[in-house]
Amino acid sequence: MISCMTRAVLKPGAYEVDGIRFATLGDIPVRLQGVTPLALSVVHEYRIMPAASYRREWTGQVAGYRYEIRHAKGPMILAFHWHPEGLSRVTMPHLHVGGPIQGVDLAKAHVPAGVITLAGVVAFLITDLGVRPFRDDWRTVLLTENH
């Protein structure tokens, strides 16, 4: 999915907390090519579980995420979060909007949202925010990953 819009690679972290592993694009947001100077940071939380069908097979289970779209020079524009476990009182999937809109500051609000996939975020960046795709087959790749 990530290869549809950047050469960066989603890499597993070196640590695990309560059975949850983390994959990221790195410590700093990855600059995206397009009309507007945007950057993306990803923290994808997952568990490795034994597959129900076979003893020797394993499967990944999403345990949470933080997908943050930023202006390339810093400020957060949108953030899709879901952290069902941990210290936060907000365990439902939610959206953060950077800065005030019409005088209402939504930056710290937890706007309810359904579960958002990384494929959905990539498609949104390309189709709605003008990020230049790196692959001609990006639609096919994202459709495959979303099902």
Side-chain angles (χ1 to χ4, degrees):
M1 292 172 285
I2 293 296
S3 71
C4 291
M5 62 177 187
T6 181
R7 304 263 185 261
V9 178
L10 196 60
K11 297 177 185 170
Y15 61 94
E16 179 178 324
V17 178
D18 295 330
I20 297 176
R21 299 168 185 228
F22 302 84
T24 71
L25 291 174
D27 294 335
I28 37 181
V30 171
R31 173 79 191 259
L32 305 173
Q33 302 298 313
V35 178
T36 306
L38 298 175
L40 176 69
S41 65
V42 171
V43 176
H44 194 76
E45 302 172 16
Y46 63 98
R47 285 190 177 87
I48 303 295
M49 312 282 291
S53 54
Y54 299 100
R55 283 186 186 188
R56 296 182 186 171
E57 288 188 9
W58 297 83
T59 186
Q61 177 186 54
V62 177
Y65 55 78
R66 288 185 299 283
Y67 309 136
E68 298 186 359
I69 301 167
R70 299 182 163 278
H71 189 279
K73 297 194 190 240
M76 188 263 294
I77 298 169
L78 292 172
F80 303 94
H81 289 181
W82 179 44
H83 34 78
E85 300 177 32
L87 302 176
S88 176
R89 64 176 176 75
V90 181
T91 58
M92 66 182 183
H94 56 276
L95 169 71
H96 293 280
V97 180
I101 297 175
Q102 301 278 331
V104 176
D105 187 4
L106 296 173
K108 292 186 180 179
H110 297 85
V111 180
V115 173
I116 305 294
T117 64
L118 184 53
V121 171
V122 172
F124 170 67
L125 284 161
I126 293 171
T127 60
D128 294 305
L129 299 187
V131 169
R132 183 176 58 90
F134 276 29
R135 301 172 59 140
D136 292 334
D137 65 344
W138 66 269
R139 285 184 177 87
T140 303
V141 170
L142 297 180
L143 280 174
T144 303
E145 295 297 329
N146 246 343
H147 291 95

